[in-house]
Amino acid sequence: MSSASQVAERDAPFQLRGNSFTMMVLKVFAPTSPDFFTQLNVKVRQAPNFFRNAPVVLDFDDLPESIVFDLGAFVSQVQALQLLPVGFQGGPQPVREAAMTVGLTPMPSGRAAKLEEVVKAPDPRQQDPHQQGQTPIPAPQVLIEVVHRPTVVVTEPVRSGMRVYAEKTDLIVTSSVSPGAELLADGNIHVYGALRGRALAGFSGDGNARIFCHSLEAEVLSVAGNYRVSEDIGSDFYKKAVQVFLRDGVLSMDLLKTA
């Protein structure tokens, strides 16, 4: 790009460019349940600073075709909990149309596949005995592209207001994390210093993810959407070397052996 073009671009009143953002997904199973917003409110109150004004995508993929509910009122109730619905995924046609009417943006659906979910092509040597003598049908060719994402390593302190996201990999911080900072990783989180901010491991739903830190002073801990706030950490683990993980679906903690 010429220098003249660069100057003209800087003088333009706007600029369009691509970007990516991390957003929570609220998967909706029973929007008409009388317990829906009661339970959602309990979840939000576990970490109000984390959820306040957080953009949310409403996932309607698992709703039955026959579902009937007031989507406008539903969105208003979500907003009343200080969540900000900005988009939606899937759902029956009437729900999708209603979502568009209330100003939600259709978002692409999809999920990360685990390695064990990859289906191997059938072995052409294992031919059906009833087809002996016939020309064997060649097995379909399956092309699998394995993308390796290296671990994200942060060597500087993570200051208040900063957010670090390790997409589809682990996150290692070799320094400390300040209050008001946020660590997110689809895999594990390791902090070789004081963890005083928020740490969310298994951000895309991996229940096997863990959080490891040398001094636990966190505001919010989360593994695969299961939260615990600072008031619930307990003196046995405060300022100790700790690992955080899920045990039978409950966020649990153990002291790390440092010697």
Side-chain angles (χ1 to χ4, degrees):
M1 182 182 293
S2 67
S3 59
S5 299
Q6 290 175 337
V7 171
E9 185 173 308
R10 285 198 302 267
D11 292 340
F14 64 86
Q15 182 187 60
L16 288 174
R17 62 179 183 175
N19 209 331
S20 60
F21 299 92
T22 301
M23 286 187 289
M24 286 183 292
V25 176
L26 176 59
K27 196 164 186 64
V28 180
F29 298 116
T32 59
S33 169
D35 297 327
F36 187 97
F37 287 102
T38 300
Q39 294 184 17
L40 182 58
N41 183 48
V42 170
K43 175 67 71 173
V44 170
R45 287 170 62 87
Q46 289 177 357
N49 292 332
F50 173 71
F51 286 109
R52 185 177 295 115
N53 296 327
V56 173
V57 174
L58 304 178
D59 185 344
F60 299 129
D61 264 336
D62 290 335
L63 291 184
E65 291 293 329
S66 59
I67 189 73
V68 176
F69 68 104
D70 187 338
L71 185 58
F74 180 86
V75 169
S76 295
Q77 287 183 273
V78 174
Q79 292 171 334
L81 297 178
Q82 296 187 306
L83 298 172
L84 299 179
V86 296
F88 71 95
Q89 293 178 331
Q93 183 64 27
V95 174
R96 295 198 300 270
E97 292 176 354
M100 294 282 286
T101 300
V102 300
L104 298 181
T105 301
M107 308 291 285
S109 298
R111 65 183 180 90
K114 297 181 180 179
L115 290 179
E116 59 266 29
E117 293 175 347
V118 176
V119 180
K120 296 181 179 179
D123 190 336
R125 293 171 296 181
Q126 296 178 349
Q127 185 182 352
D128 189 331
H130 296 292
Q131 294 182 341
Q132 295 292 338
Q134 301 181 18
T135 302
I137 300 175
Q141 303 221 350
V142 180
L143 300 179
I144 301 174
E145 180 183 5
V146 178
V147 178
H148 172 67
R149 292 182 181 268
T151 299
V152 174
V153 179
V154 178
T155 59
E156 299 293 328
V158 184
R159 306 295 185 189
S160 178
M162 293 177 62
R163 170 181 283 187
V164 181
Y165 178 32
E167 183 180 6
K168 298 180 182 179
T169 189
D170 292 348
L171 172 61
I172 296 176
V173 179
T174 62
S175 188
S176 294
V177 181
S178 298
E182 190 168 77
L183 307 179
L184 305 98
D186 290 335
N188 303 306
I189 294 176
H190 304 256
V191 179
Y192 296 100
L195 172 55
R196 301 187 183 94
R198 298 184 290 271
L200 293 82
F203 191 68
S204 293
D206 183 2
N208 294 316
R210 297 192 176 213
I211 300 170
F212 305 88
C213 65
H214 278 203
S215 180
L216 180 59
E217 306 166 44
E219 299 168 331
V220 177
L221 298 169
S222 171
V223 175
N226 297 271
Y227 294 87
R228 185 179 290 198
V229 296
S230 58
E231 292 83 358
D232 299 326
I233 290 177
S235 58
D236 291 343
F237 300 102
Y238 186 67
K239 291 189 176 182
K240 303 288 180 60
V242 173
Q243 64 169 318
V244 183
F245 56 95
L246 290 183
R247 177 186 289 141
D248 298 327
V250 178
L251 198 68
S252 305
M253 293 183 289
D254 277 344
L255 295 176
L256 288 173
K257 296 179 180 179
T258 57

